[in-house]
């Protein structure tokens, strides 16, 4: 099983990609859907919100009145913190439950609007970001969704910018064309990146590099840092340091571990995280579009 983080700025077209992946067999976990589910009528989440913010946040039908909740929960930082303390654990628990229920060979696609802003990218095997020019996104929001132009600009400005997104993206899907063109591009990613990555990890083998995808790296300068962060997420407290080196566009990552036991424990974690052994005492990327090698060394 692999976990794919899917995101993009508002109006970029992320839902088309999510739908394409699901149609291809992806196991879709939608963060927005979960956020609504955990506060449905008669849910424990809704009862906690009513206890915290009062019955005025309910509509006549007993469902959550979101504007009423927003007026109270975003009135000050203390109220915002209280809201998050209620909803975030519920969303996290439901998300983990769905992931635990996924088949062992699943490509779990987690659709998360604020993936970049919440700094979650290192915890996925692959991050796919849908991008589109801000002017085009503004046009879509005002014409297709009926948003006021100032409201649309404010929502765009409140999110990460394209430079921040590219820095964490393993795949950048340009959506300056039609939904049909985007679906075709997403299908190619599924066939040539996601399914091979999952199969390689399950088999415990490094990938054969695909020159097309390796050349399509969204931000080559950010790649070593992105891989370093991902290895920290995999290794956790078994590592005392993670550093990037390497030349010719193939980063070499060095993980320093505290002792031999930690090095032994790290092997299966690296394989599951997308860096299986390459037969030479090192580890290598299982992603055909992201070549990299990993060396594990003991601390001096």
């Amino acid at each position: 099983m692999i976990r794919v983080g899917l995101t993009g700025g508002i109006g970029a077209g992320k839902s088309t990609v999510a739908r394409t992946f699901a149609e291809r067999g992806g196991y879709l976990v939608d963060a927005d859907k979960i956020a609504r589910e955990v506060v449905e009528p008669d849910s424990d989440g809704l009862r906690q919100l009513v206890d915290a913010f009062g019955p005025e946040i309910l509509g006549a039908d007993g469902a959550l009145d979101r504007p009423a909740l927003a007026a109270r929960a975003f009135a000050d930082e203390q109220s915002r913190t209280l809201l998050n303390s209620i909803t975030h654990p519920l969303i996290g628990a439901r998300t983990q439950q769905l992931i635990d229920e996924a088949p062992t060979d699943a490509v779990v696609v987690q659709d998360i609007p604020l993936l970049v802003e919440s700094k979650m990218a290192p915890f996925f095997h692959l991050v796919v970001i849908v991008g589109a020019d801000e002017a085009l996104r503004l046009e879509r929001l005002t014409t297709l969704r009926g948003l006021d132009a100032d409201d649309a600009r404010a929502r765009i400005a409140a999110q990460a910018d394209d430079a921040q997104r590219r820095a964490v993206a393993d795949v950048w899907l340009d959506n300056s064309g039609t939904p049909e063109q985007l679906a075709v591009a997403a299908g190619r990613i599924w066939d040539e990146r996601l399914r091979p990555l999952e199969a390689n990890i399950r088999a415990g083998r490094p990938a054969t590099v695909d020159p097309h995808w390796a050349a399509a790296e969204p931000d080559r300068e950010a790649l070593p840092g992105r891989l370093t962060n991902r290895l920290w997420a995999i290794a956790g407290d078994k590592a005392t340091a993670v550093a990037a080196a390497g030349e010719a566009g193939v980063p070499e990552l060095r993980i320093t571990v505290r002792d031999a036991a930690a090095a032994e424990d790290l092997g299966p974690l690296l394989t599951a995280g997308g860096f299986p052994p390459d037969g030479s005492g090192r580890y290598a990327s299982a992603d055909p579009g992201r070549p990299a090698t990993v060396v594990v060394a003991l601390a001096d």
Side-chain angles (χ1 to χ4, degrees):
M1 182 185 79
I2 65 169
R3 294 174 59 195
V4 177
L6 172 63
T7 193
I10 184 171
K14 176 172 55 65
S15 59
T16 297
V17 177
R19 183 167 58 251
T20 301
F21 287 166
E23 290 170 351
R24 295 280 182 134
Y27 185 94
L28 187 60
V29 179
D30 187 327
D32 279 348
K33 182 179 179 181
I34 292 171
R36 294 190 297 270
E37 177 185 324
V38 298
V39 292
E40 288 178 344
D42 299 322
S43 67
D44 180 57
L46 185 57
R47 284 189 287 272
Q48 290 186 52
L49 290 179
V50 171
D51 289 343
F53 297 103
E56 294 80 8
I57 66 170
L58 296 177
D61 59 356
L64 179 64
D65 182 335
R66 293 184 179 277
L69 173 63
R72 290 171 175 263
F74 296 103
D76 53 58
E77 189 60 32
Q78 183 176 358
S79 298
R80 188 195 304 267
T81 300
L82 177 59
L83 172 66
N84 291 340
S85 72
I86 294 171
T87 59
H88 285 187
L90 296 171
I91 293 169
R94 178 56 176 157
T95 298
Q96 190 59 54
Q97 180 185 6
L98 290 171
I99 293 172
D100 290 343
E101 293 172 356
T104 56
D105 63 346
V107 175
V108 177
V109 179
Q110 292 184 240
D111 183 340
I112 306 175
L114 299 181
L115 184 152
V116 178
E117 294 82 350
S118 58
K119 304 187 185 306
M120 296 174 63
F123 300 99
F124 295 95
H125 291 89
L126 203 79
V127 172
V128 177
I129 294 185
V130 186
D133 180 81
E134 184 174 319
L136 180 56
R137 292 164 56 203
L138 180 62
E139 179 185 353
R140 289 171 178 164
L141 292 172
T142 54
T143 60
L144 300 179
R145 297 196 193 180
L147 292 182
D148 173 79
D150 288 339
D151 182 23
R153 290 189 188 93
R155 295 190 188 203
I156 290 173
Q159 295 184 336
D161 60 29
D162 278 355
Q164 292 169 315
R165 293 191 182 98
R166 283 187 181 276
V168 302
D170 298 298
V171 176
W172 184 272
L173 261 176
D174 176 67
N175 186 24
S176 57
T178 66
E180 292 75 18
Q181 290 170 324
L182 181 62
V184 169
R188 185 175 181 184
I189 289 169
W190 178 269
D191 294 338
E192 299 178 10
R193 291 286 293 272
L194 302 186
R195 286 283 15 156
L197 172 58
E198 190 283 323
N200 287 339
I201 291 176
R202 190 155 35 90
R205 64 180 176 236
T208 299
V209 176
D210 184 325
H212 166 79
W213 289 111
E217 163 60 41
D219 188 337
R220 197 163 302 282
E221 290 186 3
L223 176 59
R226 188 163 75 245
L227 292 174
T228 297
N229 291 337
R230 190 160 282 146
L231 289 173
W232 270 118
I234 293 170
D237 61 2
K238 292 177 175 54
T240 59
V242 179
E247 298 179 355
V250 181
E252 179 179 288
L253 291 303
R254 181 182 179 89
I255 303 177
T256 304
V257 294
R258 60 178 183 269
D259 53 33
E264 184 175 353
D265 291 344
L266 186 56
L269 295 177
L270 285 170
T271 299
F275 299 91
D278 68 359
S280 70
R282 299 185 175 197
Y283 300 84
S285 173
D287 175 8
R290 190 187 56 211
T293 60
V294 179
V295 176
V296 177
L298 297 180
D300 295 335

